[in-house]
Amino acid sequence: MARKKDRAPVRKREILENFYQVLVEEGLERASLARIASRMGIHPSLIIHYFSTKEKMVGELVQYILERYQETFLPQLDGIKNPRERLSVILNSVFGTEWMSLVDGGAFFSCYALSYRNQQIRESFQKMYYTLREILVEELRNCIREGVIRDGDPEKLADFIISLLEGYDYYRGLMEDCENFEELGGYLKEVVKRVLGMEV
Amino acid sequence: MARKKDRAPVRKREILENFYQVLVEEGLERASLARIASRMGIHPSLIIHYFSTKEKMVGELVQYILERYQETFLPQLDGIKNPRERLSVILNSVFGTEWMSLVDGGAFFSCYALSYRNQQIRESFQKMYYTLREILVEELRNCIREGVIRDGDPEKLADFIISLLEGYDYYRGLMEDCENFEELGGYLKEVVKRVLGMEV
DNA sequence: AAATTAATTGAATATTCATTTAATTATTCG
DNA sequence: CGAATAATTAAATGAATATTCAATTAATTT
């Protein structure tokens, strides 16, 4: 049984990173295998060798992109016990500037648009929001129990927060100067706190 | 001076309608001139004849799509004097089912994603939200003056409403059954009213 | 060092794409 | 009707596309 080093996952990730970059710089319609390969100084057929088809590669790109969000505020919450503090960290993260710089909006919404016709991509997105929702519900529940926020339906509140944060992401993509959208982010955060019944 | 009937605008609109349909059914990456033409039973070069280039056609498609929103609740407000009633009509429209069926989400967000790399498309979107914001600010101002809603910054409140409605549009695109997103729409509407200080 | 497996390239494929130019058919005007 | 103009088609173009299969180079194991 000949055992070889498994460098395939590393190479695949490299390709995905370059795919993402081309996507950001040139748009989905111009993000061809040839361009990705040329940017890496490799041959296009090597990409096919690793992903077998472009559609599968796009599917993996979506997961690659969505994982970034998963990995954002979860580490930030490590070690924080106080529910109020935890919720603040989440809101600051989501309506702050870090969240926005995680993924390019053009790339993100291009992928999102694909979810309307590609079942696998659709499920990736659904899974991500299902997880996010679960996290939020859990945090909100704890805050209600501790009296940090007013009593209410944590699931609906979670949906409200998700809607608002994605709408913020969307709307911000059309703003020109960052002062404006930083200000908006701060304002939306306060609105959420008011809706939750958290003293500001 | 030979005067001819100007049927070009009509034909262009027909082409845009078919472009939109192909976009919905096949996605942006497959919405080629050949497919649009074949669906119409015409020759691809005829499309070029009217739009001269595909990029320009896409630009006009975006305007065509965005106009639908402009034409939504403005007619609905005709004849309604009462500020409270006007605001209710707007919120019902925006968080209701009509708004969603106006434009296919896949088509809409595909176009939105283009705005990150295409200046003309970007400006079309910006213009649309500028107009929407102006309308909302005006309505909110009237409601504040009449004591229908609590005193507050109408511009920030408008941005809040726009963020939430677009986030709702986005999030809804991932939901499977319409009961859920109708319920969410109703809930978000109540949240907005609470934030505005409108008695529910 | 030889053999085996993985990584990568090369060249060829058929398809699809937007666009051009010239020719043809319809329509409208005088 | 006849001339002018618009609407439409035909055919050809070259570039770009994803994907194929076979060949080659590099790495690892025995």
Side-chain angles (χ1 to χ4, degrees):
Chain A
M1 298 293 179
R3 282 269 46 185
K4 301 293 157 63
K5 261 196 182 177
D6 201 9
R7 275 211 328 268
V10 182
R11 207 75 170 109
K12 287 182 79 174
R13 173 146 290 243
E14 277 178 37
I15 295 172
L16 288 183
E17 280 161 3
N18 281 273
F19 184 14
Y20 173 75
Q21 280 305 326
V22 175
L23 174 53
V24 170
E25 291 163 17
E26 310 249 27
L28 189 55
E29 57 281 342
R30 292 173 56 87
S32 64
L33 299 185
R35 262 191 205 86
I36 301 164
S38 124
R39 163 182 250 267
M40 300 178 72
I42 63 171
H43 203 272
S45 60
L46 187 57
I47 300 180
I48 291 284
H49 172 252
Y50 281 110
F51 292 94
S52 73
T53 166
K54 193 188 178 183
E55 197 187 350
K56 287 181 185 166
M57 181 172 67
V58 173
E60 297 202 30
L61 178 81
V62 170
Q63 290 186 268
Y64 162 77
I65 286 179
L66 295 184
E67 275 168 13
R68 292 203 194 179
Y69 290 101
Q70 313 263 41
E71 297 159 357
T72 310
F73 56 69
L74 281 185
Q76 288 186 285
L77 292 175
D78 270 2
I80 303 179
K81 280 280 181 187
N82 187 325
R84 158 178 281 114
E85 215 179 318
R86 290 175 67 89
L87 190 56
S88 275
V89 167
I90 291 176
L91 294 180
N92 282 332
S93 169
V94 155
F95 293 106
T97 45
E98 334 150 70
W99 188 267
M100 85 161 257
S101 55
L102 271 180
V103 177
D104 173 79
F108 180 81
F109 285 104
S110 291
C111 292
Y112 171 79
L114 294 180
S115 78
Y116 280 81
R117 252 157 273 98
N118 182 314
Q119 185 59 23
Q120 192 211 330
I121 292 178
R122 185 176 180 80
E123 282 167 9
S124 295
F125 272 91
Q126 287 174 333
K127 196 174 171 186
M128 187 241 184
Y129 287 108
Y130 183 79
T131 306
L132 176 58
R133 202 176 107 115
E134 270 191 324
I135 295 170
L136 287 175
V137 167
E138 170 76 2
E139 296 295 334
L140 291 171
R141 236 190 271 282
N142 291 339
C143 286
I144 292 172
R145 189 188 308 118
E146 306 277 331
V148 174
I149 67 174
R150 192 192 303 123
D151 192 19
D153 185 338
E155 299 189 341
K156 286 188 174 176
L157 288 170
D159 285 333
F160 162 65
I161 293 174
I162 292 176
S163 297
L164 191 60
L165 87 85
E166 291 304 339
Y168 172 52
D169 251 27
Y170 171 94
Y171 195 31
R172 183 176 50 192
L174 294 169
M175 295 184 175
E176 296 295 352
D177 30 312
C178 53
E179 307 164 22
N180 286 2
F181 58 68
E182 279 188 33
E183 191 185 344
L184 177 58
Y187 176 72
L188 294 181
K189 195 169 62 184
E190 297 311 313
V191 170
V192 170
K193 288 185 177 176
R194 211 188 308 159
V195 170
L196 294 178
M198 208 177 175
E199 102 287 358
V200 198
Chain B
M1 299 290 183
R3 281 272 43 186
K4 300 294 157 62
K5 260 196 183 179
D6 201 7
R7 274 208 333 267
V10 182
R11 207 73 169 111
K12 286 182 80 172
R13 172 148 289 243
E14 276 177 40
I15 296 172
L16 288 182
E17 279 161 5
N18 281 274
F19 184 14
Y20 172 76
Q21 280 305 325
V22 176
L23 174 54
V24 170
E25 290 162 19
E26 309 249 27
L28 190 55
E29 58 280 343
R30 291 174 58 87
S32 64
L33 298 186
R35 265 193 202 84
I36 300 164
S38 123
R39 161 182 251 266
M40 300 179 72
I42 62 170
H43 203 273
S45 60
L46 187 57
I47 300 180
I48 291 284
H49 171 251
Y50 281 110
F51 292 95
S52 72
T53 165
K54 193 187 180 184
E55 197 188 350
K56 286 180 186 168
M57 180 172 68
V58 174
E60 297 201 31
L61 179 81
V62 171
Q63 291 187 267
Y64 163 77
I65 286 179
L66 295 184
E67 276 168 12
R68 291 204 195 178
Y69 289 100
Q70 313 264 41
E71 297 159 358
T72 310
F73 54 69
L74 281 185
Q76 288 186 284
L77 292 176
D78 269 3
I80 303 178
K81 280 280 181 186
N82 188 325
R84 157 179 281 113
E85 215 180 318
R86 290 174 66 89
L87 190 55
S88 275
V89 168
I90 291 176
L91 294 180
N92 283 331
S93 168
V94 154
F95 292 106
T97 46
E98 334 150 67
W99 187 267
M100 85 161 258
S101 56
L102 270 180
V103 177
D104 173 79
F108 180 81
F109 285 104
S110 290
C111 291
Y112 172 78
L114 295 180
S115 78
Y116 279 80
R117 252 158 275 98
N118 181 316
Q119 185 60 22
Q120 192 211 328
I121 292 179
R122 185 175 180 79
E123 283 167 9
S124 295
F125 273 90
Q126 287 174 333
K127 197 174 169 184
M128 187 242 186
Y129 288 107
Y130 184 78
T131 305
L132 175 58
R133 201 175 108 116
E134 271 192 325
I135 294 171
L136 287 175
V137 166
E138 171 76 4
E139 296 295 335
L140 291 171
R141 236 190 271 280
N142 291 338
C143 285
I144 292 173
R145 188 186 310 116
E146 306 276 331
V148 174
I149 67 174
R150 192 192 304 123
D151 193 19
D153 184 338
E155 299 190 341
K156 286 188 173 174
L157 289 170
D159 284 333
F160 162 66
I161 293 174
I162 292 175
S163 297
L164 191 60
L165 86 86
E166 291 305 338
Y168 172 52
D169 251 28
Y170 170 94
Y171 195 31
R172 185 176 48 192
L174 293 169
M175 295 184 173
E176 295 295 354
D177 28 310
C178 56
E179 306 165 21
N180 286 2
F181 58 68
E182 278 188 34
E183 192 184 344
L184 177 58
Y187 175 71
L188 294 181
K189 195 169 62 185
E190 297 312 315
V191 169
V192 170
K193 286 185 179 177
R194 212 188 307 157
V195 170
L196 294 178
M198 208 175 175
E199 102 287 0
V200 195

